[in-house]
Amino acid sequence: MATTFLIPVGGSHRPGTAATSIEPTDRRRRQADIEPHGYSRRPATLCAFAAAACTLLVTPSFALDLNSFRAQHGWPPLSQSIRLTSAAYSHAQSLAARQRLDHSGFRQRVDVSSGLAAENVAYGCATEDCVIRMWARSGAHRANMLRRGVTNYGLASADGSNGKRYWVLELGN
């Protein structure tokens, strides 16, 4: 479940879509002959290199984050803000404690007088990759992540006693 809130236009509380994990790597890629010039026999070192390279393709270092999502769409990266990260962490803790999603106190957490600000909230994802992908499939959340006019972000999560992880993304200047 995810909701979104955008300032100064106003809020829209639409349920998000179910979360998914990273798409599995195509196993045929691991079996492909990567030897140049079509040689059928590959040296052991090349085979080891190919196996290591394929393993790297599925490691978390290649997971989707906010700035790589923006880069895929031709947008510049945002700078991580200590102020916005602190606000996101505080609200994630509050959501986890109350076991519900809302945008209570958004205007107090994020200074909207300095320009455009937005907030995405969600629960249920265990990783940043998962929550970014979930928000990317929701029109309003996606629009917030690709918002023109914001330069900074803060992202945080907190675990509730119900076993769910609550996420907050704050965007602003």
Side-chain angles (χ1 to χ4, degrees):
M1 175 66 83
T3 62
T4 186
F5 192 73
L6 172 64
I7 295 294
V9 175
S12 169
H13 296 278
R14 299 179 187 165
T17 58
T20 63
S21 61
I22 267 182
E23 296 178 13
T25 302
D26 185 4
R27 289 183 187 190
R28 290 176 297 198
R29 194 176 332 170
R30 291 183 181 177
Q31 299 167 349
D33 183 5
I34 63 168
E35 180 79 20
H37 311 296
Y39 295 125
S40 59
R41 292 184 168 254
R42 294 176 285 184
T45 55
L46 183 59
C47 292
F49 176 76
C54 289
T55 302
L56 286 175
L57 290 175
V58 295
T59 61
S61 63
F62 288 93
L64 187 63
D65 64 17
L66 178 62
N67 281 329
S68 62
F69 175 73
R70 287 177 60 87
Q72 288 175 0
H73 295 86
W75 290 101
L78 301 177
S79 298
Q80 188 170 16
S81 161
I82 293 172
R83 181 180 56 83
L84 291 175
T85 300
S86 176
Y89 179 74
S90 172
H91 192 49
Q93 291 289 322
S94 174
L95 295 177
R98 294 181 288 119
Q99 299 181 8
R100 63 174 296 197
L101 294 179
D102 62 35
H103 301 284
S104 297
F106 175 70
R107 290 177 183 271
Q108 290 75 35
R109 278 191 308 281
V110 180
D111 180 17
V112 296
S113 66
S114 64
L116 189 63
E119 177 178 80
N120 286 355
V121 297
Y123 71 85
C125 284
T127 64
E128 178 181 350
D129 173 80
C130 172
V131 76
I132 295 293
R133 289 177 190 274
M134 181 172 65
W135 284 329
R137 287 189 304 273
S138 167
H141 297 101
R142 179 185 185 91
N144 281 349
M145 292 190 305
L146 297 175
R147 182 123 343 254
R148 183 182 294 184
V150 297
T151 56
N152 299 305
Y153 78 98
L155 177 68
S157 67
D159 295 325
S161 61
N162 59 358
K164 295 179 182 174
R165 179 166 287 174
Y166 292 80
W167 292 88
V168 177
L169 172 65
E170 304 287 7
L171 300 156
N173 296 319

